[in-house]
Amino acid sequence: GAGVSQTPSNKVTEKGKYVELRCDPISGHTALYWYRQSLGQGPEFLIYFQGTGAADDSGLPNDRFFAVRPEGSVSTLKIQRTERGDSAVYLCASSLVGGSGLTEAFFGQGTRLTVV
Amino acid sequence: QQQVKQSPQSLIVQKGGISIINCAYENTAFDYFPWYQQFPGKGPALLIAIRPDVSEKKEGRFTISFNKSAKQFSLHIMDSQPGDSATYFCAASTTSGTYKYIFGTGTRLKVLA
């Protein structure tokens, strides 16, 4: 596709349930990021993939959060035993990391997660 | 040391006026400073970015001013238009390592017609 695609756009789940959020990055982009944005706040870093491996997962808040990118393209953010405090917009971004380093990161429209 | 502090939290400007948003950082390893624009229900979109080897970068009505010694950078929007009404985020990153962006808390800009 032309841009970063995230599905679903909205997800409502009950407290304690398991959810998966999907991100399709721009084709050919090797770097993929997950961010969480709470209302009125800036995006908060969760995890960064370079290819298939998680190069930096220092932003994951606890072990209920996990992300994978098995083939170096699509990524899934998984949240176990959801809590009401997990409610936020989850943003995915991708970029092409070249020889000169970082290039522009393109964001998807986000998945709005509501835990009730 | 990873924080990026952004001000003001909100800003109201008359059409045709200049909007100025400021950011400050602590980590001297940061060497890439983008500004993102976000409309309600949309993801952030890159507006303009600067690296610390220059003190100013201009693209159309948008200018970044960068002060490396003060560890501050700012976004100036000239001839502000109602269509510029959005939330603006500054960010900082390194061009080596994990490339993660650290975002400011955002400035909600409203341009009055």
Side-chain angles (χ1 to χ4, degrees), chain B:
Chain B
Q1 198 181 28
Q2 286 292 314
Q3 282 187 326
V4 176
K5 296 182 179 179
Q6 184 171 348
S7 62
Q9 188 174 1
S10 63
L11 183 60
I12 299 175
V13 173
Q14 293 287 340
K15 180 183 175 182
I18 302 173
S19 304
I20 302 175
I21 305 170
N22 301 297
C23 283
Y25 64 98
E26 289 293 325
N27 188 350
T28 55
F30 289 146
D31 60 359
Y32 179 70
F33 302 91
W35 283 90
Y36 279 82
Q37 179 188 56
Q38 186 175 32
F39 293 103
K42 304 292 185 183
L46 180 69
L47 256 185
I48 185 172
I50 197 168
R51 296 180 191 261
D53 52 346
V54 297
S55 60
E56 185 175 283
K57 183 174 181 180
K58 183 176 181 179
E59 289 183 2
R61 296 185 294 110
F62 301 94
T63 299
I64 300 180
S65 297
F66 186 82
N67 185 329
K68 187 174 181 178
S69 61
K71 293 184 283 188
Q72 295 176 347
F73 57 110
S74 60
L75 176 69
H76 292 62
I77 306 174
M78 313 300 287
D79 187 26
S80 299
Q81 299 296 312
D84 297 330
S85 298
T87 300
Y88 292 81
F89 294 97
C90 62
S93 179
T94 60
T95 55
S96 61
T98 65
Y99 310 110
K100 67 185 179 186
Y101 291 81
I102 305 299
F103 282 84
T105 50
T107 296
R108 182 174 288 185
L109 172 65
K110 184 175 178 63
V111 182
L112 302 176

Side-chain angles (χ1 to χ4, degrees), chain A residues 4-40:
Chain A
V4 177
S5 177
Q6 292 187 245
T7 53
S9 55
N10 283 284
K11 176 72 176 178
V12 180
T13 191
E14 293 181 347
K15 178 176 178 291
K17 298 291 188 181
Y18 167 83
V19 296
E20 290 190 350
L21 312 180
R22 177 186 168 106
C23 173
D24 277 274
I26 293 172
S27 178
H29 279 193
T30 55
L32 185 145
Y33 313 78
W34 283 99
Y35 283 81
R36 178 168 67 176
Q37 188 173 25
S38 300
L39 193 63

Side-chain angles (χ1 to χ4, degrees), chain A residues 30-91:
Chain A
T30 55
L32 185 145
Y33 313 78
W34 283 99
Y35 283 81
R36 178 168 67 176
Q37 188 173 25
S38 300
L39 193 63
Q41 298 296 314
E44 175 190 5
F45 172 78
L46 295 177
I47 188 169
Y48 159 73
F49 286 90
Q50 178 59 29
T52 60
D56 185 343
D57 64 358
S58 62
L60 294 177
N62 51 60
D63 61 6
R64 296 186 298 105
F65 288 75
F66 189 70
V68 295
R69 194 187 185 198
E71 297 177 357
S73 178
V74 170
S75 177
T76 305
L77 178 66
K78 308 181 181 192
I79 310 174
Q80 298 177 320
R81 304 183 305 279
T82 52
E83 300 178 357
R84 293 195 179 88
D86 299 335
S87 297
V89 175
Y90 289 82
L91 293 165

